[in-house]
Amino acid sequence: MRINKYIASAGVCSRRRADELIAQGRVKVNGAVLKEPGYDVQAGDLVQVDGRYIEGSEKLVYYALNKPAGYVTTTSDEHDRPTVLDLMTEVDVRVFPVGRLDYETTGLLIMTNDGALANHITHPSKKVFKTYVADIDGEISLAQAERLRKGVDIGGYTTRPARVEIIKQASVSRVRISISEGRNRQVRRMFAALGFNVIYLQRVSIGNVMLGHLHEGHYRRLSAEEVDYLKNC
Ligand code: URA
């Protein structure tokens, strides 16, 4: 939607007045003063008028998706691989993923068109615990689990304290691990720091929002309580 219409439909002012505000440099998109009067607002854009964020007229929607392996967590892919958007077949508004799961990782991904919520959850200051179940190629010891809990060096960075529970201790071990940060391939790199390769990785929760019994490739609307929780966590 064109920016002046977007501002007008949020009830801020008329379209003509919105054009004036843009010309006066009083409108920002994603933190930068808007230079382009004909700008087309994208899902996830954060629009400010005189410093105040405005909500667009588009209905805000929130989904939990169970991402299968073999999908990229972007809205388009330069190598033409399937994206998580390809799975949101019945959703008629433009949504985008909050945060990222690797191509081969499965599990809970929040999909929304609410840019403010996405920024809120992914902000580095947020300490929302994300929980994963990992199958790793070897027998993990209690001492190694303790090292993961305390923090390991994943290449010049020591991870924050994590919650770690060994579910199965065998030649292929299963571990539940909760981390409060989201560095690139963090869980895989944490296990790699101890010499393990992750064979299977699934995200099972983000804070209080659970994957539950959602089948791979399926999605559901978040409940009002889940949305409230995410907005306030
Ligand atoms: N950690 C990983 O290593 N991969 C993910 O997809 C998410 C967390």
Side-chain angles (χ1 to χ4, degrees), residues 100-106 132 179 182-189 198 201 203:
R100 239 174 62 90
L101 288 178
D102 301 331
Y103 185 65
E104 58 279 37
T105 301
T106 71
Y132 299 82
I179 57 173
R183 299 206 164 228
N184 189 30
R185 298 178 76 81
Q186 178 161 339
V187 173
R188 293 173 196 276
R189 287 160 68 199
V198 172
L201 186 62
R203 181 154 67 191

PDB file of all heavy atoms in Angstrom, residues 100-106 132 179 182-189 198 201 203, ligand 1:
ATOM      1  N   ARG A 100      14.796 -16.889  12.475  1.00  0.00           N
ATOM      2  CA  ARG A 100      15.209 -17.796  11.405  1.00  0.00           C
ATOM      3  C   ARG A 100      15.413 -19.211  11.919  1.00  0.00           C
ATOM      4  O   ARG A 100      15.879 -19.409  13.046  1.00  0.00           O
ATOM      5  CB  ARG A 100      16.564 -17.311  10.874  1.00  0.00           C
ATOM      6  CG  ARG A 100      16.611 -16.969   9.399  1.00  0.00           C
ATOM      7  CD  ARG A 100      17.960 -16.374   9.079  1.00  0.00           C
ATOM      8  NE  ARG A 100      19.015 -17.346   9.356  1.00  0.00           N
ATOM      9  CZ  ARG A 100      19.456 -18.206   8.455  1.00  0.00           C
ATOM     10  NH1 ARG A 100      18.969 -18.233   7.243  1.00  0.00           N
ATOM     11  NH2 ARG A 100      20.402 -19.061   8.765  1.00  0.00           N
ATOM     12  N   LEU A 101      15.074 -20.176  11.094  1.00  0.00           N
ATOM     13  CA  LEU A 101      15.524 -21.548  11.330  1.00  0.00           C
ATOM     14  C   LEU A 101      16.337 -21.933  10.098  1.00  0.00           C
ATOM     15  O   LEU A 101      15.983 -21.552   8.971  1.00  0.00           O
ATOM     16  CB  LEU A 101      14.334 -22.498  11.485  1.00  0.00           C
ATOM     17  CG  LEU A 101      13.522 -22.388  12.787  1.00  0.00           C
ATOM     18  CD1 LEU A 101      12.344 -23.353  12.759  1.00  0.00           C
ATOM     19  CD2 LEU A 101      14.382 -22.646  14.016  1.00  0.00           C
ATOM     20  N   ASP A 102      17.404 -22.706  10.309  1.00  0.00           N
ATOM     21  CA  ASP A 102      18.221 -23.132   9.173  1.00  0.00           C
ATOM     22  C   ASP A 102      17.400 -23.965   8.194  1.00  0.00           C
ATOM     23  O   ASP A 102      16.397 -24.571   8.577  1.00  0.00           O
ATOM     24  CB  ASP A 102      19.371 -24.033   9.637  1.00  0.00           C
ATOM     25  CG  ASP A 102      20.263 -23.342  10.632  1.00  0.00           C
ATOM     26  OD1 ASP A 102      20.366 -22.119  10.568  1.00  0.00           O
ATOM     27  OD2 ASP A 102      20.838 -24.063  11.473  1.00  0.00           O
ATOM     28  N   TYR A 103      17.923 -24.072   7.006  1.00  0.00           N
ATOM     29  CA  TYR A 103      17.296 -24.858   5.930  1.00  0.00           C
ATOM     30  C   TYR A 103      16.895 -26.255   6.431  1.00  0.00           C
ATOM     31  O   TYR A 103      15.803 -26.737   6.193  1.00  0.00           O
ATOM     32  CB  TYR A 103      18.326 -24.966   4.800  1.00  0.00           C
ATOM     33  CG  TYR A 103      17.851 -25.632   3.544  1.00  0.00           C
ATOM     34  CD1 TYR A 103      16.849 -25.060   2.770  1.00  0.00           C
ATOM     35  CD2 TYR A 103      18.431 -26.825   3.113  1.00  0.00           C
ATOM     36  CE1 TYR A 103      16.434 -25.665   1.592  1.00  0.00           C
ATOM     37  CE2 TYR A 103      18.027 -27.434   1.940  1.00  0.00           C
ATOM     38  CZ  TYR A 103      17.018 -26.843   1.184  1.00  0.00           C
ATOM     39  OH  TYR A 103      16.609 -27.440   0.025  1.00  0.00           O
ATOM     40  N   GLU A 104      17.827 -26.888   7.180  1.00  0.00           N
ATOM     41  CA  GLU A 104      17.563 -28.286   7.557  1.00  0.00           C
ATOM     42  C   GLU A 104      16.900 -28.415   8.930  1.00  0.00           C
ATOM     43  O   GLU A 104      16.563 -29.523   9.348  1.00  0.00           O
ATOM     44  CB  GLU A 104      18.851 -29.131   7.451  1.00  0.00           C
ATOM     45  CG  GLU A 104      20.038 -28.720   8.261  1.00  0.00           C
ATOM     46  CD  GLU A 104      20.890 -27.592   7.698  1.00  0.00           C
ATOM     47  OE1 GLU A 104      20.386 -26.630   7.094  1.00  0.00           O
ATOM     48  OE2 GLU A 104      22.096 -27.651   7.935  1.00  0.00           O
ATOM     49  N   THR A 105      16.711 -27.300   9.636  1.00  0.00           N
ATOM     50  CA  THR A 105      16.063 -27.366  10.959  1.00  0.00           C
ATOM     51  C   THR A 105      14.546 -27.371  10.798  1.00  0.00           C
ATOM     52  O   THR A 105      14.011 -26.713   9.910  1.00  0.00           O
ATOM     53  CB  THR A 105      16.503 -26.149  11.814  1.00  0.00           C
ATOM     54  OG1 THR A 105      17.915 -26.182  11.955  1.00  0.00           O
ATOM     55  CG2 THR A 105      15.872 -26.168  13.193  1.00  0.00           C
ATOM     56  N   THR A 106      13.881 -28.095  11.688  1.00  0.00           N
ATOM     57  CA  THR A 106      12.426 -28.167  11.636  1.00  0.00           C
ATOM     58  C   THR A 106      11.858 -27.462  12.875  1.00  0.00           C
ATOM     59  O   THR A 106      12.576 -27.120  13.799  1.00  0.00           O
ATOM     60  CB  THR A 106      11.927 -29.629  11.653  1.00  0.00           C
ATOM     61  OG1 THR A 106      12.165 -30.165  12.952  1.00  0.00           O
ATOM     62  CG2 THR A 106      12.639 -30.481  10.625  1.00  0.00           C
ATOM     63  N   TYR A 132      14.955 -26.338  21.892  1.00  0.00           N
ATOM     64  CA  TYR A 132      15.207 -27.227  20.756  1.00  0.00           C
ATOM     65  C   TYR A 132      15.413 -28.648  21.258  1.00  0.00           C
ATOM     66  O   TYR A 132      15.943 -28.845  22.364  1.00  0.00           O
ATOM     67  CB  TYR A 132      16.497 -26.808  20.030  1.00  0.00           C
ATOM     68  CG  TYR A 132      16.442 -25.410  19.470  1.00  0.00           C
ATOM     69  CD1 TYR A 132      16.696 -24.302  20.276  1.00  0.00           C
ATOM     70  CD2 TYR A 132      16.129 -25.192  18.123  1.00  0.00           C
ATOM     71  CE1 TYR A 132      16.636 -23.011  19.768  1.00  0.00           C
ATOM     72  CE2 TYR A 132      16.075 -23.912  17.606  1.00  0.00           C
ATOM     73  CZ  TYR A 132      16.329 -22.833  18.430  1.00  0.00           C
ATOM     74  OH  TYR A 132      16.266 -21.552  17.923  1.00  0.00           O
ATOM     75  N   ILE A 179      17.935 -21.893  24.792  1.00  0.00           N
ATOM     76  CA  ILE A 179      18.875 -20.766  24.750  1.00  0.00           C
ATOM     77  C   ILE A 179      18.084 -19.451  24.666  1.00  0.00           C
ATOM     78  O   ILE A 179      16.985 -19.417  24.116  1.00  0.00           O
ATOM     79  CB  ILE A 179      19.868 -20.880  23.562  1.00  0.00           C
ATOM     80  CG1 ILE A 179      19.124 -20.985  22.227  1.00  0.00           C
ATOM     81  CG2 ILE A 179      20.804 -22.056  23.753  1.00  0.00           C
ATOM     82  CD1 ILE A 179      20.050 -20.935  21.007  1.00  0.00           C
ATOM     83  N   GLY A 182      19.993 -15.888  19.794  1.00  0.00           N
ATOM     84  CA  GLY A 182      19.732 -16.543  18.518  1.00  0.00           C
ATOM     85  C   GLY A 182      20.812 -16.254  17.504  1.00  0.00           C
ATOM     86  O   GLY A 182      20.542 -15.738  16.417  1.00  0.00           O
ATOM     87  N   ARG A 183      22.038 -16.598  17.865  1.00  0.00           N
ATOM     88  CA  ARG A 183      23.132 -16.388  16.890  1.00  0.00           C
ATOM     89  C   ARG A 183      23.001 -17.413  15.762  1.00  0.00           C
ATOM     90  O   ARG A 183      22.417 -18.481  15.960  1.00  0.00           O
ATOM     91  CB  ARG A 183      24.471 -16.551  17.593  1.00  0.00           C
ATOM     92  CG  ARG A 183      24.565 -15.507  18.682  1.00  0.00           C
ATOM     93  CD  ARG A 183      25.933 -15.129  19.051  1.00  0.00           C
ATOM     94  NE  ARG A 183      25.818 -13.888  19.798  1.00  0.00           N
ATOM     95  CZ  ARG A 183      26.558 -12.818  19.580  1.00  0.00           C
ATOM     96  NH1 ARG A 183      27.471 -12.822  18.653  1.00  0.00           N
ATOM     97  NH2 ARG A 183      26.381 -11.731  20.306  1.00  0.00           N
ATOM     98  N   ASN A 184      23.603 -17.057  14.643  1.00  0.00           N
ATOM     99  CA  ASN A 184      23.503 -17.914  13.468  1.00  0.00           C
ATOM    100  C   ASN A 184      23.944 -19.342  13.787  1.00  0.00           C
ATOM    101  O   ASN A 184      25.037 -19.544  14.297  1.00  0.00           O
ATOM    102  CB  ASN A 184      24.386 -17.305  12.361  1.00  0.00           C
ATOM    103  CG  ASN A 184      24.184 -17.998  11.055  1.00  0.00           C
ATOM    104  OD1 ASN A 184      23.095 -18.505  10.780  1.00  0.00           O
ATOM    105  ND2 ASN A 184      25.232 -18.061  10.251  1.00  0.00           N
ATOM    106  N   ARG A 185      23.093 -20.311  13.522  1.00  0.00           N
ATOM    107  CA  ARG A 185      23.366 -21.745  13.721  1.00  0.00           C
ATOM    108  C   ARG A 185      23.889 -22.026  15.117  1.00  0.00           C
ATOM    109  O   ARG A 185      24.754 -22.879  15.329  1.00  0.00           O
ATOM    110  CB  ARG A 185      24.355 -22.243  12.655  1.00  0.00           C
ATOM    111  CG  ARG A 185      23.816 -22.105  11.243  1.00  0.00           C
ATOM    112  CD  ARG A 185      24.799 -22.551  10.192  1.00  0.00           C
ATOM    113  NE  ARG A 185      24.905 -24.000  10.100  1.00  0.00           N
ATOM    114  CZ  ARG A 185      24.071 -24.779   9.443  1.00  0.00           C
ATOM    115  NH1 ARG A 185      23.033 -24.268   8.828  1.00  0.00           N
ATOM    116  NH2 ARG A 185      24.236 -26.082   9.400  1.00  0.00           N
ATOM    117  N   GLN A 186      23.321 -21.311  16.087  1.00  0.00           N
ATOM    118  CA  GLN A 186      23.903 -21.364  17.430  1.00  0.00           C
ATOM    119  C   GLN A 186      23.904 -22.756  18.052  1.00  0.00           C
ATOM    120  O   GLN A 186      24.914 -23.178  18.625  1.00  0.00           O
ATOM    121  CB  GLN A 186      23.177 -20.382  18.361  1.00  0.00           C
ATOM    122  CG  GLN A 186      23.739 -20.457  19.778  1.00  0.00           C
ATOM    123  CD  GLN A 186      23.410 -19.271  20.609  1.00  0.00           C
ATOM    124  OE1 GLN A 186      23.096 -18.207  20.097  1.00  0.00           O
ATOM    125  NE2 GLN A 186      23.493 -19.441  21.923  1.00  0.00           N
ATOM    126  N   VAL A 187      22.770 -23.458  17.961  1.00  0.00           N
ATOM    127  CA  VAL A 187      22.704 -24.768  18.634  1.00  0.00           C
ATOM    128  C   VAL A 187      23.708 -25.725  17.981  1.00  0.00           C
ATOM    129  O   VAL A 187      24.467 -26.426  18.665  1.00  0.00           O
ATOM    130  CB  VAL A 187      21.268 -25.330  18.580  1.00  0.00           C
ATOM    131  CG1 VAL A 187      21.230 -26.756  19.112  1.00  0.00           C
ATOM    132  CG2 VAL A 187      20.319 -24.432  19.369  1.00  0.00           C
ATOM    133  N   ARG A 188      23.752 -25.728  16.663  1.00  0.00           N
ATOM    134  CA  ARG A 188      24.704 -26.600  15.961  1.00  0.00           C
ATOM    135  C   ARG A 188      26.142 -26.256  16.357  1.00  0.00           C
ATOM    136  O   ARG A 188      26.977 -27.137  16.569  1.00  0.00           O
ATOM    137  CB  ARG A 188      24.552 -26.460  14.433  1.00  0.00           C
ATOM    138  CG  ARG A 188      23.229 -26.990  13.932  1.00  0.00           C
ATOM    139  CD  ARG A 188      23.005 -26.688  12.454  1.00  0.00           C
ATOM    140  NE  ARG A 188      21.597 -26.868  12.141  1.00  0.00           N
ATOM    141  CZ  ARG A 188      21.034 -28.025  11.855  1.00  0.00           C
ATOM    142  NH1 ARG A 188      21.749 -29.113  11.815  1.00  0.00           N
ATOM    143  NH2 ARG A 188      19.738 -28.095  11.603  1.00  0.00           N
ATOM    144  N   ARG A 189      26.415 -24.964  16.469  1.00  0.00           N
ATOM    145  CA  ARG A 189      27.784 -24.547  16.818  1.00  0.00           C
ATOM    146  C   ARG A 189      28.112 -24.868  18.274  1.00  0.00           C
ATOM    147  O   ARG A 189      29.258 -25.157  18.616  1.00  0.00           O
ATOM    148  CB  ARG A 189      27.965 -23.051  16.529  1.00  0.00           C
ATOM    149  CG  ARG A 189      28.051 -22.785  15.018  1.00  0.00           C
ATOM    150  CD  ARG A 189      27.738 -21.359  14.675  1.00  0.00           C
ATOM    151  NE  ARG A 189      28.739 -20.432  15.135  1.00  0.00           N
ATOM    152  CZ  ARG A 189      28.512 -19.122  15.285  1.00  0.00           C
ATOM    153  NH1 ARG A 189      27.304 -18.619  15.002  1.00  0.00           N
ATOM    154  NH2 ARG A 189      29.462 -18.323  15.693  1.00  0.00           N
ATOM    155  N   VAL A 198      25.210 -32.278  14.794  1.00  0.00           N
ATOM    156  CA  VAL A 198      23.758 -32.368  15.007  1.00  0.00           C
ATOM    157  C   VAL A 198      23.138 -33.057  13.795  1.00  0.00           C
ATOM    158  O   VAL A 198      23.286 -32.599  12.661  1.00  0.00           O
ATOM    159  CB  VAL A 198      23.143 -30.963  15.226  1.00  0.00           C
ATOM    160  CG1 VAL A 198      21.624 -31.041  15.261  1.00  0.00           C
ATOM    161  CG2 VAL A 198      23.674 -30.347  16.511  1.00  0.00           C
ATOM    162  N   LEU A 201      17.466 -31.431  14.189  1.00  0.00           N
ATOM    163  CA  LEU A 201      17.216 -30.315  15.116  1.00  0.00           C
ATOM    164  C   LEU A 201      15.800 -29.806  14.912  1.00  0.00           C
ATOM    165  O   LEU A 201      15.394 -29.495  13.780  1.00  0.00           O
ATOM    166  CB  LEU A 201      18.229 -29.194  14.858  1.00  0.00           C
ATOM    167  CG  LEU A 201      18.194 -28.009  15.834  1.00  0.00           C
ATOM    168  CD1 LEU A 201      18.508 -28.458  17.272  1.00  0.00           C
ATOM    169  CD2 LEU A 201      19.206 -26.938  15.411  1.00  0.00           C
ATOM    170  N   ARG A 203      12.878 -27.069  16.685  1.00  0.00           N
ATOM    171  CA  ARG A 203      12.524 -26.089  17.724  1.00  0.00           C
ATOM    172  C   ARG A 203      11.128 -26.455  18.231  1.00  0.00           C
ATOM    173  O   ARG A 203      10.187 -26.568  17.435  1.00  0.00           O
ATOM    174  CB  ARG A 203      12.539 -24.675  17.177  1.00  0.00           C
ATOM    175  CG  ARG A 203      12.191 -23.666  18.290  1.00  0.00           C
ATOM    176  CD  ARG A 203      12.760 -22.307  18.028  1.00  0.00           C
ATOM    177  NE  ARG A 203      12.160 -21.657  16.886  1.00  0.00           N
ATOM    178  CZ  ARG A 203      12.634 -20.544  16.331  1.00  0.00           C
ATOM    179  NH1 ARG A 203      13.720 -19.977  16.825  1.00  0.00           N
ATOM    180  NH2 ARG A 203      12.033 -19.983  15.306  1.00  0.00           N
TER     181      ARG A 203
HETATM  182  N1  URA B   1      20.264 -23.089  16.124  1.00  0.00           N
HETATM  183  C1  URA B   1      20.697 -23.716  15.012  1.00  0.00           C
HETATM  184  O1  URA B   1      21.812 -24.210  14.969  1.00  0.00           O
HETATM  185  N2  URA B   1      19.876 -23.749  13.960  1.00  0.00           N
HETATM  186  C2  URA B   1      18.638 -23.230  13.956  1.00  0.00           C
HETATM  187  O2  URA B   1      17.935 -23.321  12.956  1.00  0.00           O
HETATM  188  C3  URA B   1      18.209 -22.604  15.126  1.00  0.00           C
HETATM  189  C4  URA B   1      19.039 -22.536  16.197  1.00  0.00           C
END
